[in-house]
Amino acid sequence: MTDTSVDITLADGFGHRWAEILMNTFLQGRAEDLGRLDRLTGDGDFGNNIASALRRAQQSIDAEEPQDYRGWLTAVSRGFLGTGGTSGPLFGMFFRDLAHCSDDGEPTLGELSNGLTAAVATVQRYGKAEVGHKTMIDALVPAARTLESLLPGTDPVQALHRTAQAAIEGARSTAGLVAKRGRASYVGEVARGVLDPGAAAAAIVLQAAAAAQSTADPGLDTGWINA
């Protein structure tokens, strides 16, 4: 039997590192960047909602540290599910599906791909958004398709970095769009030229996943948000 990347279990502590990188990245400035984007086209609360969700997740983790991948991703999910707005519950359900992609320990790359595909489908089912509507879906759909296309045969580190890059490119594409969903859809052409904060946040989530699998410095290059 040929061993493929589908069957490769991700690195020990992958879920733990993913959650920690997410919290460190968003709570050390990126949530503020996303709030600035939201103030240009929406009600300006997106950054605060992201920060509140992850502080809630951190409090849960501090009270009882998770013991496995599912526990870490579930803590993040619950942080978002307890947050207001539209994006909070959507991200909460997104992380809940990712948490359930593995029954025992860290997921294989194939299980993570299946989890990402399921999570994106859930967000679309409840958010009613398609690619081109200027939402988080513009980053998530190309990311899920990219990861699935790289199975089997691609090293997990490379597969997750290419997945994150697809998400970044999808997020950057939203700058040229007029929103058809969410609060930015109320302002018409005013939203053109501004990145969708939900898509940008989704891309950062996948950058964090790539960093969690890598042995390199976990600091994320998010300069593309302001480019």
Side-chain angles (χ1 to χ4, degrees):
M1 180 177 177
T2 301
D3 191 22
T4 73
S5 57
V6 176
D7 307 310
I8 295 175
T9 300
L10 298 179
D12 286 346
F14 170 77
H16 182 169
R17 285 195 296 278
W18 191 3
E20 286 200 332
I21 294 169
L22 279 175
M23 289 185 281
N24 290 339
T25 301
F26 282 113
L27 296 178
Q28 293 178 5
R30 298 297 78 76
E32 293 179 9
D33 291 341
L34 299 177
R36 176 182 55 77
L37 292 175
D38 194 35
R39 285 192 291 277
L40 294 173
T41 60
D43 56 12
D45 65 353
F46 185 78
N48 287 335
N49 287 344
I50 289 277
S52 295
L54 292 172
R55 290 193 189 99
R56 190 174 294 108
Q58 184 66 68
Q59 290 169 356
S60 171
I61 290 166
D62 290 344
E64 184 175 357
E65 183 168 301
Q67 299 301 306
D68 54 20
Y69 167 85
R70 176 173 288 196
W72 284 100
L73 272 291
T74 296
V76 174
S77 168
R78 290 175 176 167
F80 277 102
L81 288 173
T83 301
T86 302
S87 58
L90 290 178
F91 271 111
M93 290 186 284
F94 174 79
F95 281 106
R96 183 179 61 194
D97 282 357
L98 284 168
H100 291 168
C101 78
S102 173
D103 291 328
D104 183 22
E106 310 299 337
T108 65
L109 189 62
E111 288 172 335
L112 185 68
S113 176
N114 291 338
L116 180 58
T117 297
V120 173
T122 296
V123 171
Q124 287 196 282
R125 183 165 65 252
Y126 286 97
K128 310 297 185 188
E130 302 291 340
V131 171
H133 285 181
K134 198 178 179 86
T135 72
M136 59 199 290
I137 286 300
D138 287 289
L140 292 176
V141 166
R145 289 175 177 169
T146 295
L147 183 54
E148 184 177 17
S149 74
L150 294 173
L151 300 174
T154 305
D155 171 79
V157 172
Q158 289 301 315
L160 290 176
H161 276 288
R162 289 169 65 178
T163 297
Q165 190 59 42
I168 292 170
E169 291 171 3
R172 294 181 70 174
S173 76
T174 63
L177 301 173
V178 173
K180 295 183 179 178
R181 299 291 297 176
R183 288 187 179 274
S185 65
Y186 303 160
V187 300
E189 285 289 336
V190 172
R192 198 188 296 278
V194 181
L195 292 184
D196 177 69
I204 292 172
V205 165
L206 292 164
Q207 281 188 281
Q213 178 65 15
S214 175
T215 57
D217 182 346
L220 304 188
D221 179 2
T222 58
W224 56 269
I225 294 176
N226 300 312

